[in-house]
């Protein structure tokens, strides 16, 4: 905005303590007009203080100039010109006066020099200062002080504008970065994948090792880590309710200083300045940061960043991590709900075993492996005379019998195999890497368990089929086992049928 000399005379003319106008010469008006034009084009603090230097140097004789930001009690030089006459130290000594919005008048230096400093104030905030120094000539007078205060007032408005612009730009960049991270984390519905993506983004944000912990009852478990975190995936620690409540109450990150000592079972949650006695920490003085992951009033997990040597991560980085936390918590919750729904869709609701759909998916994968040379066998098991038992004792008793039998099959089946409820009182076992002999041994074990654990004299009939190269799909294997079972039940209860070449569909 152009500054008109006549308007400046009428509205901006500086005044002394008695409110008497202090005259400014025409060269000062010209300098202020040039300053206003230069400040209007400034886009960063360096340009602001450079314009302030040029405008000041055009009027005030000086040997040195300092343009500095002031943060708290710290003077941070941005533009420094001329011989080092101690402008920075002078401004530091005059901070109280500058903070009150007043110029620090000329002060005689050893060797006959003078200083003059003026504050950059905007809406009551001390943003910085400009100062000049010279070793000879007359002391700075009231007109000099008025001129430098005017330069500082214009520079303060410009500095506030460029800082606000930089802050807005930073906010835009942060939003874009967080939006990209949040979309990437939420793009998957697999819990392990979500946790891995979260660990990667969190590590990139804070520049420190990161571990993702999920709360499971009164324990916390590591589900992902990044950046060389000193924990193992799957590692668990105790998390008492009081500790979880402390984490939830934080609603944001907090620091703890790591120190050596006796091992603790639970994560340290005592808050700012608390010491974590985990012996794996990086020594005394190392710092770690914890960021809760919560949904409403429910703690679902937390991020642990660190330990880092010497100091905590930068505050701006931590702010980003805190802003990412709600998005991460939502993504984890969605993945958990998806897993629950998926588990329910693949599980028989009565007996808790995999259902027919999961059986088909598992068999399709194993059939492909068998086509590459791996042994594969399936067995269909049927509780003999179950319909009669159900009609005689009622559906509740029949359901109880099915549940007990399913539990027996679960205990007798190896982890690498799959046992599923196939239909009614019929169950299926897929033996990965097993043959007919392995299936027969399994059935005999189940029969012995039935005799010893069930009061009702239950027996089972079974049909066994082993993969043959001429089989074109998993359906052929199931049909062969089903034909063997039909042949066994036709001969009477408690029989085992083994598929023959003719049982394979042609």
């Amino acid at each position: 905005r152009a500054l008109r000399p006549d308007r400046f005379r009428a509205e901006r003319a500086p005044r002394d303590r008695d409110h008497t106008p202090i005259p400014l010469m025409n060269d000062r008006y010209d300098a202020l007009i040039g300053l206003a034009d230069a400040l209007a084009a400034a886009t960063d603090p360096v340009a602001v203080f450079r314009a302030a230097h040029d405008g000041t140097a055009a009027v005030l004789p000086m040997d040195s100039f300092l343009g500095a930001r002031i943060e708290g009690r710290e003077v941070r030089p941005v533009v420094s010109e001329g011989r080092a006459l101690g402008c920075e130290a002078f401004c530091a000594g005059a901070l109280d006066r500058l903070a009150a919005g007043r110029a620090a008048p000329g002060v005689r230096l050893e060797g006959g020099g003078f200083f003059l400093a003026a504050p950059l104030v905007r809406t009551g905030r001390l943003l910085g200062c400009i100062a000049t120094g010279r070793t000879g000539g007359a002391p700075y007078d009231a007109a000099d002080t008025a001129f430098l205060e005017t330069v500082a007032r214009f520079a303060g408005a410009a500095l506030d504008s460029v800082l606000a612009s930089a802050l807005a730009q930073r906010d835009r960049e942060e939003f874009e970065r967080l939006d990209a991270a949040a979309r990437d984390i939420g793009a998957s519905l697999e819990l392990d994948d979500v946790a891995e993506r979260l660990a990667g983004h969190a590590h990139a944000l804070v520049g420190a090792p990161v571990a993702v912990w999920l709360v499971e009852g009164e324990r916390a478990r590591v589900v992902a880590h990044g950046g060389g975190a000193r924990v193992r995936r799957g590692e668990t620690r105790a998390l008492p309710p009081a500790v979880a409540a402390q984490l939830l109450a934080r609603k944001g990150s907090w620091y703890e200083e790591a120190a050596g000592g006796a091992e603790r079972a639970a994560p340290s949650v005592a808050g700012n300045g608390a010491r974590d006695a985990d012996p794996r920490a990086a020594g005394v003085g190392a710092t770690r940061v914890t960021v809760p992951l919560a949904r409403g009033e429910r703690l679902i997990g937390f991020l642990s960043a660190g330990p880092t040597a010497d100091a905590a991560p930068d505050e701006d980085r931590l702010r980003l991590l805190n802003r990412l936390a709600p998005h991460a918590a939502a993504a984890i919750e969605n993945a958990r709900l998806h897993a629950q729904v998926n588990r329910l869709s693949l599980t028989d609701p009565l007996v808790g075993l995999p259902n027919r759909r999961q059986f088909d998916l598992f068999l399709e994968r194993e059939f492909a492996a068998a086509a590459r040379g791996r042994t594969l066998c399936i067995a269909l098991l049927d509780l003999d005379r179950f319909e009669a038992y159900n009609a005689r004792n009622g559906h509740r008793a029949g359901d109880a019998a099915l549940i007990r039998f399913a539990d027996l099959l679960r205990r007798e089946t190896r982890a690498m195999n799959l046992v599923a409820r196939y239909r009614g009182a019929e169950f299926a076992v897929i033996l990965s890497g097993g043959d007919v002999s392995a299936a027969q041994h399994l059935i005999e074990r189940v029969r012995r368990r039935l005799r010893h654990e069930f009061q009702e004299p239950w027996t089972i009939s079974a049909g066994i089929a082993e993969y043959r190269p001429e089989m074109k799909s998993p359906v052929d294997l199931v049909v062969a086992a089903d034909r063997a079972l039909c042949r066994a039940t036709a001969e009477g209860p408690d029989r085992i049928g083994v598929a023959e070449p003719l049982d394979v569909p042609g």
Side-chain angles (χ1 to χ4, degrees), residues 283-367:
V284 176
T287 304
R288 71 176 77 237
V289 179
T290 302
V291 179
L293 301 173
R295 293 288 286 166
E297 296 302 315
R298 186 163 53 87
L299 180 71
I300 66 172
F302 55 90
L303 299 174
S304 176
T308 56
D310 301 328
D314 181 82
E315 288 292 337
D316 289 338
R317 291 174 173 240
L318 289 181
R319 186 182 65 256
L320 288 175
L321 193 59
N322 280 313
R323 291 177 63 182
L324 180 63
H327 301 286
I332 290 173
E333 188 79 340
N334 288 340
R336 278 180 160 175
L337 289 174
H338 174 75
Q340 182 179 3
V341 170
N342 193 51
R343 185 169 56 252
L344 290 174
S345 70
L346 297 175
T347 304
D348 183 88
L350 176 64
V351 301
L353 289 177
N355 59 15
R356 175 68 180 270
R357 178 167 175 260
Q358 188 171 353
F359 169 84
D360 290 340
L361 292 173
F362 189 86
L363 182 59
E364 184 175 356
R365 185 183 67 195
E366 295 303 311
F367 189 87

Side-chain angles (χ1 to χ4, degrees), residues 6 41-42 47 61 170 175 191 220 235 252 265 282 298-300 326 358 402 416 443 455 468:
D6 54 347
R170 186 194 69 182
F175 173 79
L191 183 58
E235 179 177 336
R298 186 163 53 87
L299 180 71
I300 66 172
Q358 188 171 353
L402 291 176
M416 65 178 295
I443 295 168
Q455 293 180 350
R468 297 174 183 272

Side-chain angles (χ1 to χ4, degrees), residues 62-209:
M62 58 184 179
D63 298 312
S64 65
F65 174 88
L66 174 70
R69 293 284 312 279
I70 295 178
E71 298 180 3
R73 303 290 297 181
E74 186 176 354
V75 178
R76 297 187 174 183
V78 177
V79 171
S80 182
E81 293 288 344
R83 289 179 295 171
L85 293 177
C87 284
E88 183 178 344
F90 172 73
C91 291
L95 270 181
D96 290 337
R97 186 179 180 89
L98 295 173
R102 296 181 294 166
V107 176
R108 189 172 182 82
L109 300 174
E110 294 182 8
F114 303 92
F115 280 133
L116 181 61
L120 275 62
V121 179
R122 190 68 172 172
T123 62
R125 295 174 293 121
L126 180 62
L127 304 178
C129 67
I130 54 176
T132 66
R134 60 192 181 203
T135 56
Y140 293 104
D141 58 20
D144 295 335
T145 302
F147 176 76
L148 196 64
E149 285 179 327
T150 304
V151 171
R153 185 163 60 249
F154 292 167
L159 181 62
D160 186 51
S161 177
V162 299
L163 291 178
S165 178
L167 182 62
Q169 177 64 24
R170 186 194 69 182
D171 287 344
R172 284 194 297 271
E173 292 174 354
E174 286 184 358
F175 173 79
E176 291 172 359
R177 186 175 183 183
L178 285 173
D179 182 60
R183 283 189 286 107
D184 181 56
I185 293 170
S188 175
L189 287 174
E190 298 299 325
L191 183 58
D192 289 344
D193 190 26
V194 169
E196 288 292 341
R197 296 183 186 204
L198 172 57
H201 285 290
H203 169 60
L205 287 177
V206 299

